[in-house]
Amino acid sequence: MEEVWIQILVLSNPKKTAKRKNGNSAVFHLSTLRSWNMATFTLLKPCFHVNSTKIAKPDLYSFSKSLGQCSSSRFESVGHQYKKKQLQSNGALCVTASSAKKILIMGGTRFIGIFLSRLLVKEGHQVTLFTRGKAPIASQLPGESDADFSDFASKILHLKGDRMDFEFVKSSLSAKGFDVVYDINGREANEVEPILDALPNLEQYIYCSSAGVYLKTDYLPHFETDAVDPKSRHKGKLETESLLKSRGLNWTSIRPVYIYGPLNYNPVEEWFFHRLKAGRPIPIPNSGLQVTQLGHVKDLAVAFLRVLGNDKASKEVFNISGEKYVTFDGLARACAKAGGFPEPEIIHYNPKEFDFGKKKAFPFRDQHFFASVEKAKSVLGIVPEFNLVEGLTDSYNLDFGRGTFRKAADFATDDIILGKSLSLVA
């Protein structure tokens, strides 16, 4: 893997967007760098000045995805050096800051944290996972090359402990010292206080909240400024957001809607895949026209990365999910398409006519539930990589389609519904 150090200069004149300077070094205005998302920019000149030393390169340099995935905070100082690694997989150049952050992830061995930790390590940061040690700190992902996994496993660090042991949290974190905390599994405010107490000089606290905090309303989509529900089952996350605001530190809160993707431990797409694979009808409550929203876990991980060190994300809340909404019936059809199954048979039923006990007959809340992601798009420049069918296909191919899943199929409630003569047939 080739490594090249180059100098990136940031112009103060906003009228100058991007140009070549003397044919040797790349010069950009800060606003241009922040506006890049997944677009491709190519340096046409094959040479650069590196600390006054000219380095000739015979090839063109494509900045496509690798630059798009880098946080805008990487470009906030004039004349900073950036380390470029030419990836053997696709020839793209990944830019990472020469001054890496010391990052703590609370959790990190399940779902969101698995993908986020890899992005952070690839960015050159020193990443430590705080877990109870019940799961391996590094496990090879489906589709991940041996080289990529080996590189990640050699760099990821571990701090074993229980976050509910507040005294241990305080002593261990204060001894280690961290610049940034990603709290992926925090549920209650009292779990966060010891972390803040232990790290008085923390640069940023990035919190995984939930769109479930919003108060149910007839007016959708939910915006970040909408009323919240203090009685929500996610009230602990609301209280945590309030705590972060009261402490006067630099924080960012991410509110995902429904998350899906490979290794999902919640039965979202897996619930549909089990029924499709078994060739069974799919029972959906009421009309099936309830509108909801899903966001791919990899897009969520990129969003978490994008707020790191980003002044525009300071003390802000962002909804993160897919751009489009989908009905329950549409989701069933999208799952079938993603897995290569025939058009599904959908059975509609009235939940009030059944007593399922403690069992959950359907994995989504039986209501319209979706949120606007316009703030994340406009402020952070985030555009989801996956549309719904593409994302479900990615999930199926890298997980369920390989014969792996979190929960075994359970059709007990389905059989109750299908055996009821009053069921409505689509």
Side-chain angles (χ1 to χ4, degrees):
M1 180 177 289
E2 182 182 14
E3 296 186 358
V4 181
W5 285 85
I6 74 164
Q7 188 87 0
I8 292 181
L9 304 178
V10 180
L11 293 176
S12 59
N13 187 348
K15 294 183 179 180
K16 297 179 182 179
T17 54
K19 70 175 186 178
R20 286 168 283 143
K21 183 178 180 182
N22 300 325
N24 293 322
S25 57
V27 185
F28 307 98
H29 180 248
L30 180 59
S31 62
T32 301
L33 292 167
R34 280 180 167 166
S35 67
W36 285 349
N37 182 30
M38 303 305 287
T40 298
F41 181 87
T42 305
L43 288 178
L44 298 177
K45 278 292 180 181
C47 55
F48 307 93
H49 272 150
V50 183
N51 296 333
S52 301
T53 302
K54 187 174 181 179
I55 296 181
K57 295 295 297 178
D59 301 319
L60 301 181
Y61 285 87
S62 172
F63 275 68
S64 59
K65 284 188 177 181
S66 52
L67 269 180
Q69 292 171 348
C70 289
S71 169
S72 61
S73 64
R74 300 283 182 265
F75 308 102
E76 289 183 351
S77 299
V78 175
H80 269 197
Q81 287 186 332
Y82 292 84
K83 192 175 184 181
K84 295 180 151 198
K85 293 186 177 181
Q86 184 158 353
L87 304 179
Q88 294 175 333
S89 58
N90 57 14
L93 293 170
C94 186
V95 180
T96 58
S98 55
S99 57
K101 298 293 184 186
K102 192 173 181 181
I103 296 176
L104 175 69
I105 299 180
M106 301 300 292
T109 56
R110 294 204 306 170
F111 204 33
I112 302 171
I114 290 174
F115 294 97
L116 173 60
S117 59
R118 278 163 169 77
L119 291 181
L120 291 169
V121 167
K122 285 181 180 179
E123 285 274 296
H125 300 293
Q126 183 188 98
V127 181
T128 299
L129 306 184
F130 185 102
T131 79
R132 290 175 292 177
K134 292 185 176 181
I137 295 306
S139 297
Q140 191 165 4
L141 299 180
E144 184 177 34
S145 70
D146 292 341
D148 283 347
F149 173 66
S150 178
D151 181 66
F152 172 75
S154 68
K155 295 175 180 176
I156 195 70
L157 303 175
H158 184 220
L159 179 57
K160 183 179 179 180
D162 187 338
R163 72 177 296 163
M164 299 307 294
D165 185 345
F166 298 154
E167 290 305 315
F168 174 79
V169 169
K170 287 181 183 180
S171 60
S172 60
L173 268 56
S174 60
K176 295 281 186 181
F178 293 96
D179 302 317
V180 177
V181 171
Y182 278 95
D183 194 346
I184 304 301
N185 63 8
R187 293 181 178 274
E188 304 293 338
N190 67 339
E191 302 170 6
V192 176
E193 284 185 289
I195 301 173
L196 302 181
D197 293 340
L199 302 169
N201 299 317
L202 194 65
E203 295 178 17
Q204 190 176 12
Y205 198 97
I206 303 173
Y207 184 60
C208 186
S209 185
S210 170
V213 301
Y214 293 115
L215 186 67
K216 189 175 180 180
T217 178
D218 293 329
Y219 303 98
L220 294 165
H222 287 294
F223 290 90
E224 289 85 351
T225 53
D226 281 0
V228 293
D229 183 2
K231 297 180 181 179
S232 156
R233 71 183 184 91
H234 297 290
K235 66 178 182 179
K237 291 187 176 292
L238 272 181
E239 292 167 354
T240 299
E241 290 181 352
S242 296
L243 171 67
L244 295 174
K245 294 174 186 176
S246 70
R247 295 290 288 258
L249 73 158
N250 179 26
W251 58 272
T252 305
S253 184
I254 300 295
R255 292 177 179 172
V257 189
Y258 288 112
I259 312 167
Y260 73 105
L263 307 180
N264 192 357
Y265 56 82
N266 285 319
V268 178
E269 68 270 43
E270 180 182 284
W271 186 91
F272 291 92
F273 289 151
H274 271 309
R275 284 148 183 80
L276 290 164
K277 182 180 179 181
R280 296 176 62 96
I282 298 181
I284 293 180
N286 293 310
S287 69
L289 298 180
Q290 302 92 314
V291 178
T292 193
Q293 181 184 26
L294 289 83
H296 197 286
V297 64
K298 295 176 185 177
D299 286 330
L300 178 59
V302 170
F304 271 114
L305 178 66
R306 194 68 61 86
V307 303
L308 174 63
N310 190 334
D311 288 343
K312 293 182 179 181
S314 179
K315 301 181 180 180
E316 294 287 347
V317 174
F318 295 95
N319 295 330
I320 299 293
S321 193
E323 288 187 278
K324 286 206 160 190
Y325 315 132
V326 64
T327 64
F328 289 165
D329 283 4
L331 178 55
R333 297 187 186 101
C335 286
K337 188 173 183 180
F341 296 104
E343 182 83 3
E345 178 186 358
I346 297 174
I347 302 295
H348 295 141
Y349 65 95
N350 183 353
K352 293 181 180 179
E353 297 177 353
F354 298 90
D355 180 8
F356 300 118
K358 294 183 179 181
K359 285 185 174 292
K360 193 174 181 179
F362 192 67
F364 294 82
R365 48 180 86 187
D366 184 15
Q367 65 182 70
H368 297 305
F369 180 59
F370 51 98
S372 170
V373 296
E374 288 306 310
K375 181 179 177 181
K377 289 170 62 179
S378 62
V379 175
L380 303 176
I382 291 175
V383 178
E385 177 184 354
F386 296 93
N387 66 36
L388 183 58
V389 174
E390 290 171 347
L392 289 169
T393 302
D394 177 75
S395 178
Y396 184 85
N397 289 342
L398 294 180
D399 197 356
F400 194 91
R402 295 180 176 223
T404 56
F405 44 82
R406 312 295 85 72
K407 295 182 179 180
D410 182 355
F411 303 128
T413 57
D414 298 44
D415 292 338
I416 295 173
I417 294 166
L418 296 175
K420 185 90 171 179
S421 59
L422 296 178
S423 295
L424 299 176
V425 179

